């Protein structure tokens, strides 16, 4: 009896220890995917502030469309320290609500953009983030100013998802429904009002935003020239809140390959989708198995063999730990780089090289924003 009692106490201690460990990981994931209330009232339209005195150096394209950004909303300096124009507007979502977006137009315009229009990056925030927080955390506006990019930041509605998560796990969304058409409408609105180079439109995101970015790219391959996924879940699985939690922790198993085959079946002449994947080896929210399966999906989507050789580059940790050690695997078709996989040591569920003043951003590099821009610059849609 004493031995039995001792064994029972040991099992109880083990159970408690395991539960505590699970809470640390699962609390955030469960909160991320908490469904929104059944209904939410529409927000009243806000009065339009005066237009900013800062004007973009690219002239608007001739168009009869209404201006894409009718309100100019200069953000706090911590959000937008770049000198370009920072605008906000909205489109009607599929459920009839107003979905807001922010638009950055750089003051600096490369010579190529003067003639052909600005390249555009669509940036999708993660759960528990807003569009402006993502802009600040990623420092994308500052880099866009240096490189001459326009940047579009859609913001998920709380009425759609209580934690502002994009529903990457929803089957209908994965097939091009849900918020997909709303975000495409934003791109069309911006491109119709400003000089945007349609051959250089890119989409990127973190976590749930990365999942949504991938869905957009795979459902509209002619619209996007490349996609950037930071700490994102594998495509094509989940299909429920609990299913999504399972994917984040364990990947999609055989569903990962099947989902890609379904995409290719829907698009008889899929043009490929150049992809950069960035994730931390210490991510316990969206575990590294997701990046491994995304890489396999990326090979298939781009017509490369599952055992295609990679050019591997190892980067050592920087001085004073300002840059984490990381490995980059590059996959080519001839001389064209189609898939880049960056695996970063000591990085958890956070934007690498971001603004640590905000959650989900890690100060230590490599700088994920710079990496994405350098990758995007190699690609345009014919």
């Amino acid at each position: 009896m004493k031995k039995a009692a001792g064994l029972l106490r040991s099992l109880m201690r083990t159970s408690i220890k395991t539960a505590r460990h699970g809470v640390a990981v699962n609390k955030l994931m469960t909160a991320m995917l908490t469904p929104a209330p059944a209904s939410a009232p529409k927000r009243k339209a806000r009065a339009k502030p005066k237009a900013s005195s800062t004007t973009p150096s690219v002239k608007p394209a001739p168009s009869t469309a209404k201006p894409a950004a009718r309100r100019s909303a200069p953000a706090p300096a911590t959000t937008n320290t770049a000198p370009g124009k920072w605008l906000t507007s909205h489109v009607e979502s599929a459920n009839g609500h107003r979905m807001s977006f922010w638009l950055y137009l750089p003051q600096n315009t490369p010579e190529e953009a003067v003639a052909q229009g600005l390249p555009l990056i669509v940036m999708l925030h993660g759960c528990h983030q807003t569009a402006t927080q993502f802009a600040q955390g990623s420092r994308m506006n500052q880099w866009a100013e240096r490189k001459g990019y326009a940047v579009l930041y859609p913001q998920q509605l709380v009425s759609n998802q209580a934690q502002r998560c994009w529903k990457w796990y929803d089957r209908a969304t994965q097939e091009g429904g849900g918020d997909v058409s709303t975000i495409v409408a934003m791109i069309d609105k911006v491109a119709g009002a400003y000089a945007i180079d349609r051959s250089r439109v890119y989409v990127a995101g973190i976590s749930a935003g990365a999942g949504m970015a991938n869905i957009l790219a795979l459902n509209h391959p002619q619209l996007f020239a490349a996609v950037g996924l930071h700490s994102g879940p594998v495509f094509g699985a989940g299909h429920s809140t609990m299913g999504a939690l399972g994917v984040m922790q364990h990947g999609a198993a055989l569903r990962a390959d099947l989902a890609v085959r379904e995409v290719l079946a829907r698009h008889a002449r899929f043009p490929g989708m150049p992809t950069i994947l960035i994730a931390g080896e210490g991510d316990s929210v969206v575990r590294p198995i997701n990046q491994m399966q995304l890489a396999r999906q990326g090979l298939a989507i781009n017509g490369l063999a599952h055992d295609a050789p990679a050019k591997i580059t190892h980067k050592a940790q920087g001085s004073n730990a300002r840059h984490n050690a990381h490995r980059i695997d590059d996959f080519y078709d001839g001389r064209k780089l189609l898939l880049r996989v960056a695996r970063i040591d000591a990085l958890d569920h956070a934007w690498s090289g971001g603004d640590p003043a905000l959650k989900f951003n890690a100060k230590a590099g490599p700088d994920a924003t710079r990496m994405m821009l350098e990758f995007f610059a190699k690609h345009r849609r014919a």
Side-chain angles (χ1 to χ4, degrees):
M1 290 294 292
K2 289 183 180 179
K3 289 183 178 180
L7 177 60
L8 178 60
R9 286 195 296 271
S10 177
L11 289 172
M12 289 177 66
R13 284 195 298 268
T14 301
S15 177
I16 292 170
K17 183 177 179 181
T18 301
R20 287 174 178 171
H21 176 74
V23 166
V25 175
N26 293 332
K27 185 177 180 181
L28 174 61
M29 295 191 300
T30 302
M32 282 180 171
L33 297 172
T34 301
S39 62
K42 289 186 179 181
R43 292 181 297 174
K44 293 182 179 179
R46 292 173 290 180
K48 294 192 295 183
K50 294 181 180 179
S52 168
S53 59
T54 307
T55 56
S57 52
V58 174
K59 295 180 181 180
S63 174
T64 58
K66 294 180 179 180
R70 292 175 294 175
R71 300 196 309 270
S72 178
T78 54
T79 299
N80 179 39
T81 56
K85 199 168 186 179
W86 184 235
L87 307 168
T88 183
S89 187
H90 67 270
V91 297
E92 294 294 320
S93 68
N95 58 10
H97 292 172
R98 289 183 173 185
M99 183 176 284
S100 297
F101 67 85
W102 279 256
L103 176 66
Y104 182 76
L105 295 172
Q107 188 177 68
N108 169 53
T109 306
E111 187 174 332
E112 182 182 13
V114 174
Q116 299 181 16
L118 290 165
L120 175 69
I121 303 175
V122 182
M123 291 283 283
L124 298 175
H125 62 78
C127 298
H128 293 279
Q129 285 184 318
T130 63
T132 54
Q133 288 170 345
F134 191 33
Q136 178 182 339
S138 65
R139 297 192 177 98
M140 180 58 82
N141 290 353
Q142 290 88 330
W143 276 103
E145 182 63 39
R146 296 184 200 180
K147 302 293 185 180
Y149 283 73
V151 193
L152 172 64
Y153 299 90
Q155 181 167 285
Q156 174 63 300
L157 291 160
V158 173
S159 58
N160 284 355
Q161 212 288 333
Q163 311 303 330
R164 294 197 189 278
C165 298
W166 301 101
K167 295 184 179 180
W168 58 269
Y169 51 89
D170 179 67
R171 185 187 294 272
T173 300
Q174 291 172 3
E175 294 175 354
D179 292 321
V180 173
S181 61
T182 306
I183 297 172
V184 170
M186 290 180 185
I187 298 170
D188 289 339
K189 188 172 184 178
V190 168
Y194 298 97
I196 299 297
D197 184 352
R198 284 281 195 163
S199 71
R200 293 188 292 162
V201 178
Y202 312 95
V203 60
I206 183 172
S207 192
M212 191 66 179
N214 205 14
I215 289 169
L216 280 159
L218 295 179
N219 281 281
H220 295 271
Q222 296 293 352
L223 176 58
F224 299 102
V227 61
L229 310 178
H230 198 312
S231 309
V234 63
F235 167 77
H239 304 157
S240 69
T241 300
M242 292 306 298
L245 295 175
V247 169
M248 292 159 70
Q249 289 292 285
H250 307 295
L254 297 177
R255 178 67 192 156
D257 295 328
L258 178 60
V260 168
R261 289 198 292 270
E262 291 171 353
V263 169
L264 296 177
R266 290 200 302 269
H267 301 272
R269 296 183 179 180
F270 195 92
M273 184 55 61
T275 303
I276 177 171
L277 305 173
I278 302 173
E281 293 291 278
D283 192 338
S284 59
V285 176
V286 179
R287 292 188 180 275
I289 189 172
N290 284 270
Q291 189 189 46
M292 293 172 59
Q293 293 181 352
L294 280 169
R296 194 166 75 236
Q297 289 181 333
L299 290 171
I301 284 292
N302 286 291
L304 300 174
H306 71 277
D307 58 351
K311 178 183 177 182
I312 300 174
T313 304
H314 291 277
K315 300 283 187 178
Q317 184 179 24
S319 60
N320 300 320
R322 294 181 64 181
H323 289 81
N324 290 318
H326 56 285
R327 165 178 166 166
I328 297 176
D329 289 30
D330 286 335
F331 297 87
Y332 290 83
D333 180 9
R335 295 185 178 181
K336 187 174 183 179
L337 175 62
L338 294 179
L339 177 63
R340 172 165 286 176
V341 183
R343 306 172 186 178
I344 303 174
D345 293 351
L347 177 68
D348 56 15
H349 196 65
W351 189 271
S352 183
D355 183 346
L358 284 85
K359 290 182 179 179
F360 311 115
N361 291 278
K363 182 178 180 179
D367 191 318
T369 303
R370 179 176 182 173
M371 292 173 71
M372 286 192 180
L373 283 170
E374 289 177 346
F375 182 82
F376 292 161
K378 300 177 185 293
H379 301 283
R380 67 173 64 219
R381 187 60 74 195

